[in-house]
Amino acid sequence: MYTVDISLHQTLKGHQNPIYIVEEGLEPHTVFTAGNDKGVVEWDLLNGQFKRILCAVPASVYALHLLRETGLLMIGMRNGELWAVDVDKQELVKKVKTDIGAIFAIKSVIAKNELITIGEEGVAYVWSLDKFELLYRFKVSDTVVRVIEPNVKMNQVAFGDKNGYIHLYDLSDYKEIAKKKVHTLPVTALMATDTYLYSGGRDAKLFQLAHKDLQELNEITPHMFTVYGIIPHPIAPVFVTVSRDKSIKIWDRRSLSLLKNVSIERGYDSHYLSINSAVWVADKLVTAGDDKLVKVWNVSIRT
């Protein structure tokens, strides 16, 4: 069993509207945030201050994904546009667009030199990472898909849709392997490890699933409302969940035992509205949400 100590390091203020996504920065002490404001913001965690607006955007941002190898930040928007922005040069390198609706999720598969996006129309787009040319386009679901989770080791990619289904595809040819209704409400979070696939939903449930056939191996109710993120620690076998119920929880990955519960009610200077996103930056956890705040947490994990 692990012991977890957590304390608030700093609160970053500046957004005027809800923050939907936080992503790691190109430098080890920076993060990007975006949401209902008309810009993507970069923060410096060393001095706890706003660094710059990386770029102005024409619509709300639902997805950010850093391509560390090329120094590009991918930005997925409500209007269906996908931007590739050079972080160092602060330049728009490429702009492409989906057919209909918002982009809710972006993931890269570096081994295949591919980028996968999906969103409101339930159609997956696979782009080349060098020229961002469209390679494949296939329908995953008849409804909204909000999450993608590739697993290169298992050669799979999972999608979670609004009807509670998880769709499992072969990563080599994008043929469907399995499809299963896991949640009673929309799937809102996915995390893959070498051993299991984890899913969280608007039904406030979290499932531990078998990679091969999505068999349900374990189930917990980690939060009172929607699970908006399941984020693995970079080293330790623990993960974080964040939720609409305004709490942050840290779990043992194998046993699903609760290690730490962080909320205002627990005496922490935490978020007072929905927490929509989180990312690990070394030993710090960065969270953001509807209260327009970015919180940076010191986290110590020991056996």
Side-chain angles (χ1 to χ4, degrees):
M1 180 68 75
Y2 288 85
T3 300
V4 176
D5 293 320
I6 185 167
S7 61
L8 183 65
H9 178 64
Q10 57 198 6
T11 299
L12 309 177
K13 300 178 182 179
H15 276 278
Q16 301 301 308
N17 290 288
I19 304 167
Y20 299 142
I21 187 73
V22 56
E23 172 66 322
E24 62 180 341
L26 193 57
E27 296 176 89
H29 57 274
T30 60
V31 294
F32 296 104
T33 56
N36 212 22
D37 285 344
K38 294 299 187 286
V40 177
V41 177
E42 186 176 15
W43 303 89
D44 189 329
L45 304 186
L46 285 181
N47 57 27
Q49 292 181 352
F50 165 87
K51 184 176 181 182
R52 60 177 173 168
I53 295 176
L54 179 70
C55 61
V57 290
S60 296
V61 175
Y62 293 142
L64 295 174
H65 182 69
L66 180 70
L67 299 173
R68 186 168 293 281
E69 295 75 13
T70 55
L72 298 179
L73 182 69
M74 305 305 301
I75 305 169
M77 287 175 261
R78 183 177 182 177
N79 63 358
E81 290 184 5
L82 175 69
W83 287 17
V85 175
D86 186 301
V87 173
D88 284 336
K89 296 178 180 178
Q90 208 167 347
E91 291 178 357
L92 176 61
V93 173
K94 186 75 174 181
K95 177 169 68 174
V96 295
K97 196 176 187 305
T98 57
D99 292 345
I100 303 170
I103 295 173
F104 285 123
I106 307 169
K107 291 287 184 176
S108 57
V109 184
I110 302 300
K112 294 188 69 190
N113 197 40
E114 291 176 354
L115 186 84
I116 310 171
T117 67
I118 202 163
E120 199 167 353
E121 58 180 326
V123 173
Y125 294 78
V126 182
W127 315 85
S128 67
L129 276 178
D130 46 6
K131 298 181 180 179
F132 299 105
E133 295 172 337
L134 185 62
L135 304 175
Y136 314 104
R137 178 184 179 279
F138 57 96
K139 194 167 191 65
V140 173
S141 174
D142 291 327
T143 188
V144 174
V145 176
R146 289 189 176 272
V147 281
I148 308 169
E149 183 67 0
N151 187 334
V152 174
K153 186 169 183 179
M154 298 299 297
N155 198 37
Q156 296 175 344
V157 57
F159 302 89
D161 78 15
K162 188 178 178 180
N163 291 332
Y165 282 87
I166 294 176
H167 307 256
L168 198 60
Y169 280 74
D170 189 302
L171 201 50
S172 56
D173 57 9
Y174 296 105
K175 300 296 184 186
E176 189 175 78
I177 299 169
K179 171 185 172 182
K180 186 175 182 182
K181 185 172 176 64
V182 176
H183 293 269
T184 57
L185 291 171
V187 183
T188 49
L190 290 170
M191 179 187 80
T193 67
D194 291 347
T195 45
Y196 305 112
L197 177 68
Y198 298 83
S199 71
R202 193 166 291 170
D203 55 7
K205 300 286 187 183
L206 185 144
F207 290 91
Q208 188 184 63
L209 306 165
H211 282 302
K212 185 178 179 182
D213 55 5
L214 302 177
Q215 178 188 352
E216 295 166 16
L217 304 174
N218 209 338
E219 172 193 346
I220 60 172
T221 305
H223 293 278
M224 294 174 62
F225 303 114
T226 308
V227 181
Y228 277 134
I230 310 171
I231 307 97
H233 188 274
I235 301 169
V238 304
F239 64 81
V240 167
T241 57
V242 294
S243 169
R244 185 185 160 206
D245 72 5
K246 305 171 286 186
S247 69
I248 304 163
K249 294 185 179 180
I250 303 179
W251 306 83
D252 185 292
R253 200 168 70 195
R254 290 167 287 208
S255 66
L256 297 186
S257 358
L258 180 61
L259 302 174
K260 187 64 68 174
N261 184 353
V262 176
S263 66
I264 289 175
E265 289 75 16
R266 295 270 172 169
Y268 292 90
D269 182 11
S270 189
H271 296 273
Y272 60 88
L273 292 173
S274 173
I275 305 172
N276 300 326
S277 184
V279 68
W280 289 101
V281 179
D283 60 346
K284 288 181 169 52
L285 178 70
V286 184
T287 56
D290 279 359
D291 58 8
K292 312 168 193 173
L293 300 175
V294 181
K295 298 273 186 180
V296 184
W297 304 88
N298 292 315
V299 182
S300 170
I301 301 171
R302 60 188 188 277
T303 53

